[in-house]
Amino acid sequence: MLKTFRIGGVHPEDNKLTRSCRTGTAGLPKQAVFPLSQHIGAPAVPCVKRGDSVKVGTLIAAAGGFVSANIHSSVSGKVSKIDSVLDASGYRKPAIFVDVEGDEWEETIDRSDTVVKGCNLSPEEIISKVKDAGVVGMGGACFPTHVKLSPPKDANIECLIVNGVECEPFLTADHRLMLEHPDEILVGVSIIMKALGLERGCVGIEANKMDAVELLREKAREYNGIEIVPLRMKYPQGGEKQLIDAVMGRQVPAPPAIPANVGAIVQNVGTVFAIYEAVQKNMPLIQRNVTVTGKSVKNPCNLLVRTGTPISQLIEAAGGMPEDTGKLISGGPMMGRPLLSADVPVVKGTSGVLMIPRQEAVRAEERPCIRCAKCVSACPMGLEPYLMATLGEQGDWERAEKEDIMICIECGCCQSSCPSRRPLLDWVRLTKTTVGGIIRSRNAKK
Amino acid sequence: MENKLILSTSPHLHNGDTVERNMYNVILALIPALIASFLFFGVGSLVVTLASVVSCVFFEWSITKYLLKRDRSTISDGSAVLTGLLLAFNLPSNLPLYIIVIGSLVAIGVGKMTFGGLGNNPFNPALVGRVFLLVSFPAKMTTWPVTGQLTAYADAVTGATPLALIKQGAIDQLPPLGQMFLGNTGGCIGEVSVLALLIGFAWLLHKKVITWHIPVSIMVTVFVLAGVMWLINPETYANPLYHLCSGGVMLGAIFMATDYVTSPMTGKGQIIYGICIGLLVMVIRLFGSYPEGMSFAILIMNSVVPLLDNWCKPKRFGEVGK
Ligand code: SF4
Ligand code: SF4
């Protein structure tokens, strides 16, 4: 019996339309746009000005603090302006605009295909290279990776867990990455293990990707201490806490506890690949794999995309936006963000572009709760979503806090299982944000 | 391109479940029991069932429209049909029409709509209707036709049910267990055939409409308690299998106690709820004045559900396996 996490979870149809599509390369955009805030933490600070020439890999904005990340140009050309741009959050955010001319790369970057296996750097050097390259968590959270690689001194980490789960339906970017670059990923895993002084690394992969499990298993024989762990399919297995529970059988307690408290650290396979490129190839994080898909999309595909490319260009590459499209999503169908327009640029955290037909995009009419308890059994955090939503509607923030609302991971299992079609997560999010604000101001007073 | 994109937050997927799907699956699961009752009680069972369903739907429709003045009718969600079916299943097959209509009015009007309709009623509406009839028309509600009178309705010949025999301690006159399992005994329309009810149970589990917790904990509790009494004195107390196969235990455990609205939300709560129902039924059967206690047991436990929901929280993530 394959491992999986213990509480709740759902089984959406996986719809991996692009599972066997080799990753192609997206064309260069005419203009690339780099939002200054594409990671958790302080926005980056521009270090170029209008009219400056940049190459591929030139630093254009430097980290604005420890919890922040460098941003590099993914194209060569001239900085045309620093202005605001509509991003996936639906707000206009400051960004650097670069008009593309040619494709000239910084000389330090090794663009060859050869896999560089050996690494003689010290842990500090590795982490500083990762930091310079602007690597962030590529599974969606976009937490700066160098921060994650610098755990508290007293933490006793035993195991690196690599997240190759890709539990979101439709997305296959990580799957293809594992099939097409297995060696790079395994070298990346060894590098992270070295940086953290770990003996053990596990790559968790869901059972719908057995080809990747077998390939990596075969290759992992050459490396010390790396184990490939196939996992029974269940959403949200790619959630950090769920993955640790599935692989190690340990549950991270409620915040402020972090994975290090149970001896684990998790990195997404995309991030591992970016770390490999940063450390072994001097390649900053300027491109990533993106799945462009949807049931009515003509040529759903996986593309290697330079950051800053407008999403509309990827949609063109996939055969254009289907007539019946009702919703455009950045990310997967369970946790992705709805987009206001296709002009939004690809950022470090863009894992997919999904077009949902209009009929499926319209929510059904809400009915009163019939107390069927399906949301309760679906919740992977052991919460009672029906109650949270009701407390939110009533504005009973105090009780919501007592009922542990803050541990919700916003996975959407509850809402996607409710026969009465209650907008459970909408209410939960509202409640969580409000309660979070109350907690912060209470702590500030202390 | 600018064909007006919908902006609603995640999740963007739904598993397709609806209120209707659940209700209709329960209705489907009741069909074997309906067929069985037709085979044993004939036309009478169909007349009573039809009358109950039609009047329940009618009352829900008219109360929604004329008293609550809501635009949207709720009769298509299947819950009124289900209440009608369940009410009928708890009635004898020779019950006069006017009593059935009164029962439906109480079930839908008092049991359900006064609280605001589906989802808000604290008590199982069908049982509210049934218990009202039981105390209002005690004689009519406690005489049951004997099986095999396929064309009879109000004129059917009545006889003692296994439960009455158990109550009187006339253990030796009980029909064979096999006949009771099939349902060839006197009793309410839907409760007699254990076999048919179990088929329905399997369907509900298969379709993931309900979980095993409530029905199994009720059945186990009844079996264990009846078994203990039987071991103490097999002369006056019936074999525990008789207790399981007689009266409303099966119908109640599988279809009435599992009503979403009036049962607890967590597995733990559901097990406690089931055990308490089992306990209450056996206490009423063995020591109370009524031969059967399933309806009362469920209604009593319905009232405890909010407390159970408060006590039995699911284990939060981080608390498991510590
Ligand atoms: S979104 Fe939150 S409340 Fe809903 S299932 Fe996920 S963790 Fe539970
Ligand atoms: S899934 Fe929906 S209807 Fe069922 S208990 Fe939760 S909120 Fe209520």
Side-chain angles (χ1 to χ4, degrees):
Chain A
M1 184 86 142
L2 295 177
K3 293 183 178 178
T4 189
F5 57 96
R6 282 170 286 178
I7 314 181
V10 294
H11 299 93
E13 221 184 303
D14 75 349
N15 276 314
K16 307 274 192 186
L17 312 174
T18 48
R19 56 178 313 138
S20 20
C21 304
R22 233 190 136 67
T23 310
T25 307
L28 286 177
K30 284 207 183 63
Q31 185 184 51
V33 182
F34 305 97
L36 293 173
S37 179
Q38 23 185 308
H39 46 257
I40 289 179
V45 184
C47 49
V48 287
K49 53 185 192 309
R50 198 169 150 218
D52 282 1
S53 293
V54 294
K55 292 183 186 171
V56 178
T58 308
L59 182 72
I60 53 174
F66 180 61
V67 183
S68 181
N70 287 343
I71 295 172
H72 302 80
S73 177
S74 65
V75 291
S76 60
K78 273 209 167 58
V79 176
S80 68
K81 57 177 177 176
I82 299 178
D83 196 359
S84 65
V85 70
L86 186 75
D87 75 0
S89 68
Y91 293 101
R92 298 194 72 88
K93 297 274 181 64
I96 300 174
F97 292 66
V98 178
D99 288 333
V100 179
E101 293 161 14
D103 192 25
E104 205 181 319
W105 289 58
E106 291 280 354
E107 290 75 36
T108 44
I109 301 174
D110 173 1
R111 296 175 64 194
S112 70
D113 286 339
T114 17
V115 182
V116 185
K117 292 200 173 162
C119 171
N120 299 320
L121 301 177
S122 70
E124 291 71 30
E125 287 166 329
I126 294 174
I127 294 172
S128 105
K129 277 194 129 177
V130 169
K131 183 175 178 192
D132 291 343
V135 180
V136 302
M138 290 170 77
C142 299
F143 191 73
T145 302
H146 64 273
V147 182
K148 224 174 174 181
L149 292 181
S150 321
K153 286 278 164 302
D154 54 344
N156 181 20
I157 299 178
E158 300 157 37
C159 183
L160 163 69
I161 299 179
V162 176
N163 185 348
V165 169
E166 204 165 46
C167 59
E168 276 272 8
F170 288 98
L171 303 190
T172 56
D174 288 349
H175 183 190
R176 294 309 309 178
L177 189 68
M178 291 188 282
L179 289 178
E180 292 164 24
H181 300 281
D183 286 303
E184 288 89 334
I185 289 171
L186 291 169
V187 175
V189 176
S190 323
I191 292 176
I192 303 173
M193 285 160 64
K194 185 167 177 201
L196 293 165
L198 301 179
E199 316 258 279
R200 191 168 160 229
C202 295
V203 186
I205 303 175
E206 275 196 343
N208 57 349
K209 296 180 271 291
M210 282 320 268
D211 47 356
V213 171
E214 272 148 35
L215 180 66
L216 284 174
R217 247 193 200 153
E218 182 62 38
K219 302 246 177 203
R221 294 214 189 112
E222 286 175 43
Y223 300 83
N224 276 337
I226 302 182
E227 188 190 336
I228 312 299
V229 187
L231 300 167
R232 184 146 48 105
M233 280 180 67
K234 193 159 75 164
Y235 176 87
Q237 195 135 247
E240 193 168 68
K241 295 182 169 189
Q242 278 66 34
L243 184 61
I244 297 171
D245 189 23
V247 173
M248 297 174 77
R250 296 184 192 168
Q251 294 198 337
V252 182
I258 54 170
N261 292 52
V262 295
I265 179 165
V266 180
Q267 297 287 356
N268 177 273
V269 272
T271 319
V272 172
F273 183 71
I275 292 175
Y276 163 83
E277 298 237 291
V279 177
Q280 305 293 75
K281 302 269 197 180
N282 288 320
M283 174 97 78
L285 181 45
I286 51 154
Q287 52 189 0
R288 66 158 297 143
N289 278 6
V290 179
T291 305
V292 189
T293 183
K295 282 186 192 157
S296 349
V297 174
K298 214 192 274 153
N299 303 311
C301 53
N302 300 296
L303 294 171
L304 178 65
V305 185
R306 306 271 179 101
T307 53
T309 308
I311 278 176
S312 54
Q313 197 177 322
L314 309 187
I315 298 175
E316 288 313 315
M321 194 184 294
E323 271 296 297
D324 65 352
T325 302
K327 219 190 224 183
L328 175 64
I329 292 161
S330 162
M334 292 302 284
M335 291 185 80
R337 286 168 170 269
L339 296 180
L340 215 53
S341 120
D343 299 331
V344 168
V346 169
V347 290
K348 293 174 182 177
T350 311
S351 50
V353 175
L354 173 63
M355 285 153 265
I356 296 190
R358 184 158 287 271
Q359 299 140 272
E360 291 177 33
V362 183
R363 285 186 182 177
E365 186 197 1
E366 182 189 352
R367 308 271 192 85
C369 174
I370 54 167
R371 293 178 42 87
C372 68
K374 294 191 182 192
C375 53
V376 181
S377 33
C379 180
M381 298 306 288
L383 295 170
E384 296 145 288
Y386 77 97
L387 179 64
M388 299 297 168
T390 309
L391 293 176
E393 280 175 83
Q394 296 167 346
D396 192 344
W397 316 123
E398 220 166 287
R399 169 104 192 266
E401 186 183 348
K402 280 203 199 93
E403 301 284 355
D404 304 313
I405 184 131
M406 294 311 289
I407 68 172
C408 164
I409 56 169
E410 305 187 20
C411 63
C413 290
C414 49
Q415 187 168 328
S416 74
S417 317
C418 175
S420 288
R421 310 293 174 119
R422 293 179 76 197
L424 292 168
L425 184 49
D426 289 3
W427 285 114
V428 168
R429 253 192 219 111
L430 172 80
T431 315
K432 201 180 148 190
T433 317
T434 315
V435 172
I438 294 172
I439 295 176
R440 268 196 303 281
S441 61
R442 192 171 55 213
N443 290 346
K445 265 186 220 142
K446 268 188 207 153
Chain B
M1 194 78 148
E2 296 315 317
N3 56 352
K4 294 237 178 69
L5 294 169
I6 298 172
L7 274 184
S8 53
T9 42
S10 64
H12 311 286
L13 270 189
H14 195 278
N15 67 4
D17 201 5
T18 58
V19 175
E20 285 77 10
R21 192 196 75 98
N22 288 288
M23 296 298 166
Y24 290 126
N25 266 316
V26 182
I27 293 171
L28 221 59
L30 285 167
I31 299 295
L34 186 62
I35 296 173
S37 73
F38 176 70
L39 295 178
F40 295 121
F41 299 118
V43 229
S45 66
L46 290 189
V47 174
V48 174
T49 308
L50 205 66
S52 169
V53 169
V54 169
S55 45
C56 279
V57 172
F58 171 77
F59 287 128
E60 172 140 340
W61 172 80
S62 51
I63 291 174
T64 315
K65 184 155 178 169
Y66 297 109
L67 282 179
L68 301 176
K69 303 211 190 309
R70 289 186 192 153
D71 296 334
R72 200 175 160 283
S73 171
T74 46
I75 52 173
S76 62
D77 68 21
S79 64
V81 177
L82 185 56
T83 303
L85 267 179
L86 288 175
L87 174 64
F89 276 24
N90 280 288
L91 302 174
S93 63
N94 62 346
L95 202 67
L97 284 179
Y98 73 95
I99 299 187
I100 301 173
V101 174
I102 294 174
S104 305
L105 179 61
V106 174
I108 294 289
V110 179
K112 185 174 173 191
M113 302 314 280
T114 41
F115 298 100
L118 180 67
N120 299 307
N121 46 301
F123 298 102
N124 186 321
L127 287 180
V128 172
R130 183 205 182 209
V131 166
F132 178 83
L133 295 184
L134 189 63
V135 293
S136 314
F137 307 94
K140 288 238 164 18
M141 286 291 289
T142 50
T143 45
W144 289 273
V146 294
T147 55
Q149 312 172 69
L150 292 189
T151 52
Y153 168 43
D155 51 346
V157 180
T158 61
T161 63
L163 268 185
L165 296 172
I166 291 177
K167 190 84 200 167
Q168 293 153 14
I171 307 292
D172 46 342
Q173 293 168 34
L174 280 172
L177 203 53
Q179 291 298 317
M180 290 190 48
F181 184 73
L182 289 178
N184 194 7
T185 56
C188 292
I189 292 178
E191 71 186 19
V192 288
S193 175
V194 176
L195 175 66
L197 293 168
L198 285 177
I199 295 174
F201 186 28
W203 178 256
L204 293 182
L205 288 180
H206 170 66
K207 286 283 165 187
K208 298 209 164 70
V209 176
I210 59 169
T211 56
W212 58 269
H213 301 81
I214 296 175
V216 171
S217 52
I218 294 179
M219 293 174 202
V220 169
T221 311
V222 168
F223 185 83
V224 169
L225 284 182
V228 169
M229 297 311 278
W230 179 64
L231 286 177
I232 294 174
N233 187 352
E235 309 281 299
T236 45
Y237 295 110
N239 175 329
L241 287 175
Y242 273 103
H243 271 287
L244 273 185
C245 294
S246 63
V249 169
M250 284 297 176
L251 178 64
I254 299 169
F255 291 96
M256 317 290 291
T258 55
D259 170 40
Y260 283 155
V261 183
T262 57
S263 61
M265 301 286 258
T266 61
K268 198 163 108 196
Q270 291 175 348
I271 290 175
I272 297 178
Y273 173 80
I275 292 176
C276 292
I277 290 178
L279 274 172
L280 286 169
V281 177
M282 289 316 292
V283 168
I284 297 173
R285 277 190 179 182
L286 298 173
F287 311 111
S289 55
Y290 281 103
E292 173 61 310
M294 203 59 194
S295 309
F296 293 109
I298 297 177
L299 285 175
I300 291 170
M301 288 312 293
N302 281 170
S303 66
V304 188
V305 166
L307 285 179
L308 283 175
D309 279 342
N310 249 331
W311 288 336
C312 305
K313 295 280 166 187
K315 269 204 171 162
R316 309 285 192 226
F317 189 96
E319 292 173 6
V320 174
K322 261 213 227 148

